[in-house]
């Protein structure tokens, strides 16, 4: 008869054997270089999870294969797992601080992860090892910009250009930094409307001064119009105060003593960023002629790559009911917000958009029928200091004094802005 001790010993030996076999099955057995090459191919062919599993498996047998660990960390960073990536990068640099590529990847991980202060600290540590290295200096400048030290970032990027004046990335980035530091803008906007019947051409001109502040931007404008063989001026201020991250507002106030403009105009709107690159807003505009007209508006916008889509409705209460109009806008951006082509289409008459066709009273015209299309092209100079724009619009509008009959309006606008520190 088998004793209990023998049975117990046999059970322990069997358990340990099975455990050993299980452990062996979870330790990499193969060519690490070949598997690393396959993992890279998978990572670059939308098989990120399989690639990460393979890289982790290689490290069970070769924990000091730092190229494997560095690439694993990089894939985490691509996936937005910035904390996981940080842990792997730190493990590498603690063992070998002379790996420049790892420093660069680790600093980028912090920039992508919106932790620029850590990125700046890491950049300074890396520069103690790789003195005056251009790639690391470039990343340091990025970190300085993201920590609101734009002037210091400009000095850092100049160190890169001192070593290599032909570095195009550094040249472009310096231009961008100078543009950010150019917090003042003066501009001129001139437009003319040509009518297919009844009216002589009408002119609209605006001189503006804009100032960027840490609280948001403020724009002072002087508007001059020549319409109905009369001249008129309006003084206006626009403000875009920052409230919190992803939340800002618009406020407007204007005065005039000419019948070509409302005596007083004012308005406000609140903008909120949403997930998936959406933005929504809600606000109002008020125009005081002989009576005050309130216009309720809002918008929904969506950024997709270089494209921007927006829809804005206008609701204007009146004696004859609610007037409704709306505008759809599409823009395709180039290098920045000053470079784009756009198209907008709209239906309905809104006193907000068509105030230049108003003289004295709004009530009889808010229900006019109207259709429009507008094409625009904006571009800037190489140093980003000058920006130009042109717009061409075509409007088919019902006559206020002969409803049921229409005329065409052909609009042309030219815009010029100059930015300076």
């Amino acid at each position: 008869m088998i004793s209990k001790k023998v049975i117990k010993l046999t059970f322990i030996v069997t358990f340990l054997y099975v455990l050993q076999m299980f452990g062996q099955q979870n330790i990499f057995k193969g060519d690490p270089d070949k598997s690393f090459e396959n993992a890279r191919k998978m990572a670059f062919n939308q098989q990120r999870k399989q690639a990460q599993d393979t890289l982790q498996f290689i490290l069970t047998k070769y924990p000091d294969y730092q190229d494997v660990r560095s690439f694993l960390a990089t894939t985490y960073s691509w996936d937005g797992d910035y904390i996981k990536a940080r842990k792997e990068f730190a493990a590498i640099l603690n063992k070998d601080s002379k790996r420049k590529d790892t420093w660069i990847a680790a600093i980028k991980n912090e920039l992508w992860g919106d932790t620029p202060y850590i990125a700046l600290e890491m950049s300074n540590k890396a520069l103690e090892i790789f003195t005056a290295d251009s790639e690391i200096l470039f990343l340091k400048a990025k970190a300085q910009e993201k920590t609101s030290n734009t002037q210091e970032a400009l000095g850092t990027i100049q160190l890169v250009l001192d070593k290599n004046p032909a570095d195009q990335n550094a040249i472009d980035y310096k231009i961008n930094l100078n543009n950010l530091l150019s917090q003042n803008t003066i501009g001129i906007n001139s437009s003319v409307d040509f009518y297919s019947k009844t009216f002589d051409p009408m002119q609209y001109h605006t001189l503006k001064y804009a100032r960027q502040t840490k609280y948001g931007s403020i724009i002072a404008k002087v508007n001059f119009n020549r319409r109905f063989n009369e001249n008129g001026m309006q003084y206006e201020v626009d403000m875009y105060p920052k409230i919190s991250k992803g939340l800002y507002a618009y406020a407007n106030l204007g005065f005039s003593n000419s019948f070509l403009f409302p005596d007083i105009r004012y308005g406000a709107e609140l903008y909120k960023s949403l997930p998936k690159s959406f933005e929504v807003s809600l606000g109002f505009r008020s125009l005081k002629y002989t009576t005050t007209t309130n216009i309720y508006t809002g918008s929904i916008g969506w950024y997709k790559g270089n494209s921007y889509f927006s829809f804005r409705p206008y609701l204007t209460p009146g004696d004859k009911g609610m007037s409704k109009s709306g505008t759809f806008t599409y823009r395709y951006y180039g290098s920045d917000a000053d470079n784009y082509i756009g198209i907008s289409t709209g239906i309905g008459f809104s006193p907000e958009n068509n105030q230049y066709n108003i003289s004295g009273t709004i009530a009889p015209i808010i229900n006019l029928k109207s259709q429009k299309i507008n094409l625009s092209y904006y571009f800037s100079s190489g140093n980003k200091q000058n920006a130009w724009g042109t717009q061409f619009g075509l409007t088919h509008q019902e006559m206020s004094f002969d409803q049921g009959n229409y005329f065409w309006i052909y609009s042309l606008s030219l815009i010029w802005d100059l930015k300076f520190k």
Side-chain angles (χ1 to χ4, degrees), residues 124-239:
N124 288 328
K125 288 181 179 178
L127 288 169
E128 293 175 4
I129 303 169
F130 307 98
T131 306
D133 182 86
S134 294
E135 290 179 279
I136 298 173
L137 282 171
F138 192 97
L139 293 175
K140 179 180 178 179
K142 290 276 190 179
Q144 287 172 321
E145 179 199 344
K146 286 181 174 289
T147 54
S148 301
N149 293 302
T150 310
Q151 190 65 53
E152 289 83 350
L154 187 62
T156 300
I157 207 67
Q158 186 59 51
L159 296 176
V160 177
L161 289 169
D162 289 344
K163 292 183 63 178
N164 184 5
D167 186 332
Q168 191 58 49
N169 286 334
I171 292 171
D172 292 341
Y173 189 49
K174 181 180 179 181
I175 291 172
N176 180 63
L177 291 173
N178 273 317
N179 192 41
L180 290 175
L181 289 168
S182 299
Q183 298 178 333
N184 301 283
T185 303
I186 57 172
I188 298 174
N189 184 337
S190 291
S191 304
V192 60
D193 284 349
F194 298 96
Y195 292 78
S196 61
K197 60 177 74 172
T198 304
F199 297 118
D200 292 331
M202 299 185 184
Q203 303 175 35
Y204 321 103
H205 308 282
T206 297
L207 175 65
K208 74 173 185 180
Y209 167 71
R211 169 75 179 176
Q212 293 285 343
T213 75
K214 63 180 180 179
Y215 304 108
S217 62
I218 182 168
I219 306 169
K221 297 187 289 188
V222 178
N223 301 312
F224 170 80
N225 288 356
R226 178 165 178 79
R227 293 180 287 141
F228 312 114
N229 295 317
E230 297 284 347
N231 298 327
M233 296 184 71
Q234 180 190 54
Y235 305 92
E236 196 174 6
V237 176
D238 291 330
M239 294 173 286

Side-chain angles (χ1 to χ4, degrees), residues 17 37 50 59 64 137 156 199 216 229 264 309 327 360 419:
Y17 176 76
E37 181 182 348
Q50 297 93 317
L59 291 172
D64 292 329
L137 282 171
T156 300
F199 297 118
N229 295 317
I264 301 174
F309 306 85
T327 300
K419 296 181 180 180

Side-chain angles (χ1 to χ4, degrees), residues 391-402:
Q391 295 184 14
F392 173 74
L394 182 62
T395 302
H396 187 230
Q397 184 171 301
E398 190 176 16
M399 297 181 182
S400 61
F401 51 86
D402 188 11

